């Protein structure tokens, strides 16, 4: 339990950060889910649009420290490959 004034303040700050990071993570997942749904429906135009909208959101998560850079790059790479595969099939 926090005893000193400094540790009490850090606990308050951690709660605020947790809430902000949680909403950011949720927002990123929503964008990724929209891409997944567009891919599943087979609509390439919708998938491309959803991917274009998801990329900056993912990279914003990287700059804010919510997602690791390599994780975001991997997700973008795999999703873009799947979107590209829709056109070829």
């Amino acid at each position: 339990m926090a005893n000193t004034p400094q540790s009490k303040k850090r606990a308050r700050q951690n709660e605020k950060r947790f809430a902000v990071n949680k909403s950011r993570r949720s927002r990123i997942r929503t964008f990724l889910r929209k891409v997944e749904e567009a891919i599943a429906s087979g609509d390439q135009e919708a998938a491309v649009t959803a991917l274009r909208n998801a990329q900056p959101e993912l990279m914003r998560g990287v700059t804010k420290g919510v997602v690791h850079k390599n994780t975001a790059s991997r997700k973008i790479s795999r999703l873009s490959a799947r979107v590209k595969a829709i056109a070829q099939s």
Side-chain angles (χ1 to χ4, degrees), residues 3-68:
N3 293 319
T4 65
Q6 179 184 5
S7 61
K8 289 177 183 174
K9 180 178 179 180
R10 292 302 287 169
R12 287 193 308 269
Q13 289 174 331
N14 286 339
E15 286 177 19
K16 289 177 189 172
R17 281 270 125 247
F18 176 75
V20 169
N21 288 341
K22 186 176 178 182
S23 68
R24 282 202 181 109
R25 250 193 319 272
S26 175
R27 186 173 161 85
I28 289 170
R29 287 186 188 130
T30 301
F31 275 89
L32 294 179
R33 190 178 67 246
K34 287 179 183 173
V35 178
E36 292 284 350
E37 290 170 356
I39 290 171
S41 71
D43 184 4
Q44 194 202 3
E45 285 185 33
V48 168
T49 306
L51 183 62
R52 280 202 192 116
N53 292 336
Q55 284 177 341
E57 199 62 38
L58 250 172
M59 294 323 264
R60 194 170 300 119
V62 170
T63 60
K64 300 298 182 182
V66 178
V67 183
H68 194 273

